[in-house]
Amino acid sequence: MTVMIKKIARKKCIHVMLVYTGGCNACDIEVVNAIFSPFYDAEQYNVFLTFNPREADILVVTGCVTKVVAESLRKIYEKIPEPKAVVAVGACALMGGVYKNIGGDLGTSDFVAGPVENIIPVDVKVPGCAPRPEDIIAGIVKALPKVIEGK
Amino acid sequence: MMLMDTSLIGAINLTIHAFLVGSLLLGLHRKIMARIQGRPGPPIIQYLLHTLKFYVKEITFPITAGNPLYIFVALLDIAIWLAALIIAIDFKSSLLIIIGIYVLQKIVEHGCGLSSGSPYGKIGGVRSVFSAAAEVPLFAVVAAIYLTTHSVLISDILSYQEIHGSLLFKMPICAFAFFILLVSKAPNSPFGIVKGKDIVSGYMTEHYGLLGAIIYIAEAIAYFVLLWLFIAVFIGPLVINSPVLTLAVMVVMTVILAFVNGLTPLLAPHHSVMLQMTIAGLVLCDVLYRLIVGG
């Protein structure tokens, strides 16, 4: 009975927090201006955007994770109460993208600490540059079981 | 005589009723705001689901939290609004006690900000102190009501309205000031600087999980109590004596509040305080007029 109530409560109320860690902002635009805009309106499916890590259930990370932001990202992750999941969105978050090799023949960038899984554990990866909104939604949905079932 | 009519069972029923109705009204509020923005929005039951979700989240405490106060302010919040609920609706007692409780709400907001150790919470708490201007209209409104009805007891005010009709149009400035109070209490309010998105979640930034759920319950009850007070004091016993009519008017008022909040931007802190002080000035003028002219 208690477990069932927990699952219902969590399933019907998902808070997503978006963290930008460097890059060109295209993935952020896809997340905020598409998924949470009137066109897709994730709120009608009980998914809400928050910028308070204490409220978040799913952490959506975009960008290549520059060294100056790596520690902040780790702190944000630690502040989110369990159960939680992490969705890495975009080529930069998955591999570093163009920024990882911004030096070209001169070698890898020395200001990029990414990809995201080097900093915090990643549960779902959404490829694309930038990913389509439908793919990001699919990624968040794929992360739901971990949040609903708990660890 | 009033005391004999109340009972523990009645108070518990009233509490559950207030929480459920308050939650659904707040959910309706959010639904309407979403519709104004041209999208379906969350279901009306969502506020209840929010409360339930936070209730079952992991319980931890920030390393910077001052734990006794950190926990106490959340319990104080629900305690004061339960008290307001019972004093206003069950006992129909003095408006001055309700005002005292609303002042305590400021202490809760400030206490939340201070106890968590979060800089965002602290800013929210400080803004709450700046927003103390919101209390001045309350005192002035009660003073004006006293000058008209010669009593601050809700039961006496209801009796007065049975004989002389609704206060809504006899005291339009006071009704407007109280309505602005309702606006500031509703979510996503232009006066909502204490929980502005520019400071994460304001004074509630570090009150999450179980404590957050407790505060959400308190806010649902607060919303119900304030709506009930407005209806009782300014619309009168014709509506308030019928629970169904009261609920209907609450829904209408929630729709109005949702439109106001959905169509107005968040004010800058100094604009918010300045506007509230202006309204306080308006009500003070009304009080002075009633004092001088009489009745």
Side-chain angles (χ1 to χ4, degrees):
Chain A
M1 185 62 176
T2 302
V3 173
M4 189 177 70
I5 291 177
K6 280 191 177 183
K7 288 185 181 180
I8 293 175
R10 290 168 177 166
K11 181 189 296 183
K12 291 293 186 178
C13 186
I14 299 291
H15 282 85
V16 172
M17 177 176 177
L18 172 66
V19 174
Y20 165 69
T21 62
C24 66
N25 267 126
C27 296
D28 302 294
I29 291 173
E30 294 298 339
V31 174
V32 175
N33 289 15
I35 296 177
F36 292 101
S37 75
F39 191 83
Y40 289 94
D41 191 27
E43 279 199 358
Q44 63 179 316
Y45 305 114
N46 312 98
V47 179
F48 302 89
L49 183 66
T50 182
F51 286 98
N52 185 355
R54 300 298 197 181
E55 283 181 0
D57 299 300
I58 296 178
L59 183 65
V60 174
V61 186
T62 64
C64 53
V65 193
T66 58
K67 286 182 177 174
V68 294
V69 80
E71 184 58 27
S72 298
L73 177 59
R74 191 176 294 110
K75 286 180 179 176
I76 289 172
Y77 177 77
E78 287 166 359
K79 276 182 174 277
I80 300 176
E82 296 285 350
K84 60 190 172 186
V86 176
V87 178
V89 171
C92 295
L94 268 60
M95 303 171 293
V98 294
Y99 300 96
K100 191 64 173 178
N101 296 296
I102 198 77
D105 292 337
L106 298 179
T108 59
S109 306
D110 57 11
F111 58 85
V112 175
V116 175
E117 62 186 351
N118 289 355
I119 314 298
I120 57 176
V122 172
D123 300 295
V124 177
K125 297 177 179 177
V126 182
C129 181
R132 294 175 300 174
E134 292 88 348
D135 292 337
I136 301 175
I137 294 174
I140 292 175
V141 171
K142 196 172 181 184
L144 290 184
K146 188 188 181 192
V147 171
I148 295 173
E149 304 291 331
K151 274 186 171 177
Chain B
M1 178 177 176
M2 283 294 171
L3 293 180
M4 294 166 57
D5 292 338
T6 62
S7 67
L8 182 60
I9 299 296
I12 293 175
N13 280 337
L14 181 60
T15 301
I16 296 173
H17 174 76
F19 169 61
L20 291 178
V21 172
S23 295
L24 291 175
L25 290 176
L26 289 171
L28 175 67
H29 185 281
R30 185 159 188 169
K31 181 74 165 181
I32 294 171
M33 287 193 69
R35 285 295 182 181
I36 291 171
Q37 293 162 5
R39 56 190 177 88
I44 289 175
I45 200 177
Q46 195 60 42
Y47 191 90
L48 265 171
L49 296 171
H50 265 74
T51 306
L52 191 58
K53 195 278 290 265
F54 287 127
Y55 197 83
V56 299
K57 285 287 278 188
E58 178 193 19
I59 299 176
T60 59
F61 297 97
I63 195 170
T64 53
N67 269 331
L69 181 61
Y70 179 74
I71 299 172
F72 174 73
V73 287
L75 299 178
L76 176 64
D77 198 13
I78 196 166
I80 62 176
W81 286 109
L82 283 177
L85 177 73
I86 293 170
I87 289 170
I89 300 178
D90 225 0
F91 292 166
K92 293 187 171 59
S93 186
S94 172
L95 284 176
L96 292 180
I97 303 179
I98 308 298
I99 290 181
I101 284 168
Y102 197 80
V103 172
L104 281 179
Q105 170 67 25
K106 292 297 174 181
I107 295 179
V108 166
E109 290 170 2
H110 196 55
C112 279
L114 288 185
S115 62
S116 65
S118 162
Y120 304 109
K122 287 178 179 176
I123 293 177
V126 169
R127 286 182 175 181
S128 173
V129 174
F130 289 164
S131 295
E135 275 93 77
V136 180
L138 262 188
F139 283 102
V141 166
V142 172
I145 289 172
Y146 177 79
L147 290 175
T148 303
T149 68
H150 304 291
S151 174
V152 293
L153 297 183
I154 296 174
S155 52
D156 289 350
I157 294 169
L158 288 171
S159 301
Y160 176 92
Q161 290 184 94
E162 270 185 358
I163 301 171
H164 299 93
S166 171
L167 288 180
L168 188 64
F169 301 108
K170 287 184 165 61
M171 309 175 69
I173 294 177
C174 293
F176 174 72
F178 202 98
F179 182 79
I180 292 298
L181 179 65
L182 294 181
V183 170
S184 67
K185 198 64 186 170
N188 300 113
S189 160
F191 302 103
I193 59 176
V194 294
K195 285 201 285 187
K197 292 305 177 188
D198 54 328
I199 48 174
V200 188
S201 294
Y203 70 88
M204 277 194 70
T205 299
E206 292 284 358
H207 275 79
Y208 56 96
L210 178 60
L211 295 178
I214 290 173
I215 294 178
Y216 277 125
I217 294 172
E219 287 183 354
I221 295 175
Y223 191 71
F224 179 90
V225 170
L226 291 175
L227 283 182
W228 189 93
L229 274 176
F230 185 88
I231 296 171
V233 173
F234 292 107
I235 298 180
L238 189 67
V239 170
I240 216 66
N241 286 340
S242 165
V244 175
L245 266 181
T246 303
L247 185 58
V249 175
M250 282 185 178
V251 171
V252 172
M253 290 190 66
T254 298
V255 173
I256 296 172
L257 288 168
F259 268 90
V260 171
N261 290 351
L263 298 173
T264 54
L266 178 69
L267 293 170
H270 56 287
H271 287 154
S272 177
V273 173
M274 180 165 43
L275 190 46
Q276 285 176 318
M277 284 182 170
T278 303
I279 294 168
L282 265 182
V283 182
L284 284 174
C285 290
D286 192 39
V287 172
L288 289 178
Y289 174 81
R290 291 173 190 278
L291 267 175
I292 296 173
V293 177

